[in-house]
Amino acid sequence: MLAVDDLHFAYRRGRQELFGGLTHEFTPGAVTGVTGPSGRGKSTLLYVLGLMLRPSAGQVRYDGQPVHGLSDVDRSHLRAVQVGFVFQDAVLDASRSVLDAVVEPALYAGARRRDVVGRARELLEELGIEIRAEHRPGEISGGQAQRVALCRALVNDPRVVLADEPTGNLDRDNADVVLRVLRRAAQAGRTVVIATHDPYVLEHVDEVLAL
Amino acid sequence: MRLSTLVEEAARTATAQRVSSAMVAVLCAAICTVTLLTVGRTAAAEETVLARLDTAGSRLLVVSDDRDAGLVTPAVLQVLSGLDTVERVVGVDTPFDVVNGVVGDGAERVPAWRVAGDPAQVVSLVEGRWPAPGEALVSDAARRRLGMAEPFGFATDTAGVEYPVVGAFTARAPFEAFEAGLVVVADPATATDSVHLVVTGVEAARITEALTLALLAPPDLSQVSVQSPAALADLQRAVSGDLGEYGRGILLLTLGGGAFLIAVVVLAEVLLRRRDLGRRRALGASRWALVGLMVNRTVIAAMPGAAVGTVVGLVAVMRAGDPVPVDFAVAVALLTVLVAAVAAVLPAVLAATRDPVSVLRTP
């Protein structure tokens, strides 16, 4: 359901172009690893797929429909409802609780907080950190923070999960947890795309897209 | 994002980010207090001055028929009493001397005013009954001077005409001069020397004066003399204009300065929390949702500050003896919150339009 056609991207007009007309269809239910040398646009591709950046040429399609030209409101809504983001560091709000962090995307998708708290707690429990629900990010470890970020990415039950170097700051045990969760997300039918240069991560993906 | 969710999220953010919320609250409190201490006191002073200028004494218009040409007829009084700008109207003759009729010549003299129209327009009855034409009411001071034990009997003028005294009165403002003597009800068919009008406000003086002169229609304007509060109306406008302009200047300065400082606080927060805002965008917040969040959280922080500042300002001006109207204080609080909201818009728009990707990347 997620695909790109003849994709080009430049941060500024006249600057170096990325992707060189990339055409690719991401397989639902599979984990795709996007890899390549630094500067080839691994993270940029994720942000283009996540509708945070507009391609300078080509198309991004969701369910066959080009979506890159939608308005900011429509792209934001699509992102909130259909896309889950996982960043290299968890990017949690230090002033809010773990539970607040997990609930957050659902609010942007139009849900009421009270309607989504139960689902958020379930996800935290699945990842073994429900006991930390009321803690602040400063009170949990890096591995736990990334698990919180995974819960946050999955709270809206998105069809696409985009993970930018999700294990970059983690030790091997925590990296395994993250990869296991992403694998499970893919097995549930989601399209999972991981940008990484880590060979260990690439050993755990189903498909590799080299830039 | 639902509006209720946005407000709830803004409240949670305002609570979580205590430092910037506290700074916005303190600034709003300061704006309210300073405004009440300056503009509020000016407004109170303006109100007091205007209230003084608006007393009945300041609203008395007197047009006199100087040559006894019979201009102030009962018909004229009747028409004048129907004007919207006229609160009360009576015809009044030049005062004449009377003595206690029982004592006769040689007794102490007091003035008497012949009044055409409803005597209740100029005096309040305190004892006895309302007089018929040719009858009189006496003030307490005049009764004592006339040597009357009760406000009943009769008074006699220098021509020997008798005026039965049927009760006592106290004069209504602005006719306090009548306290010195008697008020005699005039024959309804006769003209009087002057017309006394209490207008509804000093601003109505000029038009009422013009209408009265038109009704009296003197062949020559030198036949009549006018004592008008029109000059007071000009003074009222000047006072109101000067104080109002001063107050507006101070208000604009205070609100403008406050708005600038609030905008700086919100901008600083935007710059410090770029990753936070980038995260929100990545998770699905639209630009408008971000602007809404920032503005709402500023308003939520501003409200308690404005409330506290208003209370402090009210107490301070009350202690200083210049009570500020409560509705003015409420308006100041609401205006301050509105200013905080407007001040937050520009930094919020800036936050919403920044590239979220650049702040989310990990080098």
Side-chain angles (χ1 to χ4, degrees):
Chain A
M1 55 90 64
L2 173 61
V4 292
D5 296 327
D6 192 24
L7 194 68
H8 294 263
F9 181 85
Y11 274 100
R12 288 205 179 95
R13 195 170 289 174
R15 287 283 185 88
Q16 182 196 356
E17 285 237 342
L18 299 171
F19 313 137
L22 174 69
T23 297
H24 186 82
E25 210 158 285
F26 295 87
T27 312
V31 178
T32 302
V34 178
T35 189
S38 289
R40 285 291 177 87
K42 297 187 292 293
S43 300
T44 302
L45 178 61
L46 255 58
Y47 291 121
V48 171
L49 294 175
L51 307 179
M52 290 177 67
L53 294 174
R54 287 180 195 267
S56 41
Q59 290 188 338
V60 178
R61 287 185 288 115
Y62 277 59
D63 289 332
Q65 299 298 314
V67 292
H68 56 281
L70 296 175
S71 68
D72 175 68
V73 171
D74 290 338
R75 280 185 295 134
S76 298
H77 183 70
L78 197 63
R79 188 159 62 239
V81 172
Q82 299 219 20
V83 181
F85 260 107
V86 183
F87 309 100
Q88 182 173 342
D89 57 352
V91 195
L92 304 177
D93 186 344
S95 63
R96 307 288 293 274
S97 71
V98 161
L99 185 64
D100 285 345
V102 178
V103 164
E104 189 177 359
L107 306 181
Y108 304 135
R112 288 191 182 88
R113 182 184 161 82
R114 61 172 179 270
D115 295 336
V116 80
V117 162
R119 160 103 176 126
R121 286 193 183 279
E122 273 174 30
L123 284 165
L124 288 169
E125 195 167 353
E126 273 181 40
L127 271 71
I129 45 173
E130 208 279 335
I131 197 167
R132 301 290 194 177
E134 306 304 332
H135 286 226
R136 297 278 185 274
E139 299 164 347
I140 60 178
S141 70
Q144 287 174 324
Q146 199 61 316
R147 277 188 255 174
V148 173
L150 282 166
C151 294
R152 182 178 64 190
L154 298 172
V155 73
N156 283 338
D157 196 14
R159 297 171 69 186
V160 176
V161 176
L162 303 171
D164 185 12
E165 303 278 9
T167 60
N169 291 342
L170 303 179
D171 57 29
R172 185 55 56 85
D173 288 344
N174 277 309
D176 284 339
V177 172
V178 169
L179 293 172
R180 236 186 353 257
V181 173
L182 290 173
R183 159 71 52 204
R184 229 166 33 213
Q187 284 169 346
R190 298 184 181 95
T191 302
V192 177
V193 184
I194 304 175
T196 184
H197 61 270
D198 184 349
Y200 181 75
V201 175
L202 291 172
E203 285 172 18
H204 291 77
V205 302
D206 304 309
E207 298 172 357
V208 174
L209 174 63
L211 296 177
Chain B
M1 193 174 191
R2 290 166 188 269
L3 182 63
S4 58
T5 310
L6 187 142
V7 173
E8 186 186 350
E9 180 66 8
R12 286 175 181 275
T13 308
T15 312
Q17 290 158 21
R18 291 189 189 118
V19 175
S20 57
S21 296
M23 288 176 78
V24 169
V26 167
L27 281 171
C28 288
I31 292 172
C32 288
T33 305
V34 169
T35 303
L36 288 174
L37 286 175
T38 53
V39 186
R41 289 181 76 172
T42 307
E46 182 183 351
E47 203 166 83
T48 307
V49 170
L50 294 182
R52 280 181 193 152
L53 289 175
D54 209 34
T55 55
S58 307
R59 291 185 280 123
L60 181 62
L61 169 67
V62 180
V63 181
S64 302
D65 176 5
D66 292 339
R67 293 188 194 165
D68 285 335
L71 300 175
V72 186
T73 61
V76 167
L77 295 178
Q78 182 71 30
V79 174
L80 288 173
S81 66
L83 294 179
D84 288 343
T85 56
V86 174
E87 189 179 291
R88 290 179 273 156
V89 58
V90 287
V92 179
D93 266 342
T94 307
F96 55 95
D97 286 346
V98 293
V99 296
N100 186 341
V102 175
V103 180
D105 286 342
E108 186 169 358
R109 296 177 176 198
V110 297
W113 286 268
R114 194 176 283 110
V115 173
D118 183 1
Q121 303 277 308
V122 291
V123 297
S124 300
L125 186 69
V126 292
E127 197 174 348
R129 63 171 171 82
W130 285 108
E135 294 180 336
L137 294 174
V138 65
S139 72
D140 192 47
R143 180 187 58 75
R144 283 199 301 271
R145 285 177 64 195
L146 290 170
M148 298 170 82
E150 298 289 335
F152 305 106
F154 68 100
T156 314
D157 65 14
T158 48
V161 179
E162 293 182 355
Y163 303 96
V165 177
V166 296
F169 73 86
T170 56
R172 291 177 63 188
F175 299 97
E176 291 88 348
F178 293 172
E179 284 287 348
L182 278 69
V183 168
V184 177
V185 174
D187 182 335
T190 59
T192 47
D193 297 340
S194 63
V195 56
H196 287 53
L197 303 109
V198 179
V199 292
T200 50
V202 287
E203 73 283 351
R206 217 175 280 282
I207 182 73
T208 310
E209 179 186 328
L211 286 168
T212 305
L213 287 174
L215 278 170
L216 293 176
D220 178 0
L221 275 178
S222 65
Q223 274 186 255
V224 293
S225 59
V226 179
Q227 295 168 40
S228 171
L232 271 177
D234 295 339
L235 177 65
Q236 187 186 54
R237 269 194 296 276
V239 168
S240 180
D242 289 350
L243 289 175
E245 198 172 316
Y246 172 75
R248 278 192 294 278
I250 296 281
L251 182 66
L252 280 177
L253 199 67
T254 310
L255 291 178
F260 175 75
L261 292 175
I262 290 170
V264 167
V265 170
V266 178
L267 181 64
E269 190 191 341
V270 164
L271 295 174
L272 286 171
R273 300 185 67 85
R274 283 185 302 168
R275 286 206 98 198
D276 181 42
L277 298 168
R279 184 202 71 242
R280 289 182 187 275
R281 290 281 286 142
L283 298 181
S286 66
R287 291 198 175 99
W288 286 117
L290 270 193
V291 171
L293 273 174
M294 295 291 292
V295 172
N296 270 286
R297 61 141 302 183
T298 305
V299 166
I300 287 165
M303 284 194 295
V308 170
T310 302
V311 171
V312 170
L314 272 176
V315 170
V317 291
M318 276 177 173
R319 284 192 165 190
D322 294 325
V324 173
V326 172
D327 54 351
F328 178 84
V330 171
V332 166
L334 292 175
L335 193 60
T336 302
V337 172
L338 183 67
V339 161
V342 171
V345 168
L346 202 61
V349 169
L350 181 73
T353 51
R354 288 184 80 91
D355 172 21
V357 173
S358 60
V359 293
L360 289 172
R361 283 176 176 282
T362 304

